[in-house]
Amino acid sequence: MAESGHDEDEREFDIRWAEAAEHKEPSARARMLAARWKHDPPGPVPFRPEPDHVARRHRRSGWVSTVVVLGGIAAVILLLGYFRFTAP
């Protein structure tokens, strides 16, 4: 049986040797995409979505959300005060 320290030293040497390699083989996905794009390159993709995508989503403005949150908090405070006041 080999010493565990000896195995650790060999493992560290192998990791350092592998990380120091000048050429690293691309991943399987990178090879697959390179082969696919060789014959049919992808078109340009914009960083941001087109304006029509944004128009389809319904978003509340910031002040409407603030009013809804503060109104909900006020309603909870009033309900708690009402129940505390009416409790025997």
Side-chain angles (χ1 to χ4, degrees):
M1 223 174 177
E3 295 179 21
S4 64
H6 182 67
D7 292 338
E8 286 294 320
D9 291 339
E10 285 183 16
R11 183 175 168 271
E12 285 184 28
F13 174 75
D14 289 343
I15 290 173
R16 281 183 276 145
W17 175 79
E19 289 176 348
E22 292 183 20
H23 176 74
K24 293 186 180 183
E25 184 176 335
S27 66
R29 177 164 174 77
R31 291 191 308 264
M32 177 197 70
L33 290 174
R36 182 185 303 168
W37 292 345
K38 186 175 184 179
H39 301 292
D40 186 24
V45 178
F47 176 70
R48 296 184 184 269
E50 296 294 324
D52 61 333
H53 296 292
V54 176
R56 284 188 225 162
R57 287 187 289 165
H58 177 67
R59 289 190 55 171
R60 291 185 200 153
S61 65
W63 67 270
V64 173
S65 296
T66 304
V67 168
V68 169
V69 169
L70 292 177
I73 292 171
V76 168
I77 290 172
L78 290 174
L79 283 173
L80 290 174
Y82 173 75
F83 287 126
R84 180 175 282 186
F85 182 72
T86 59

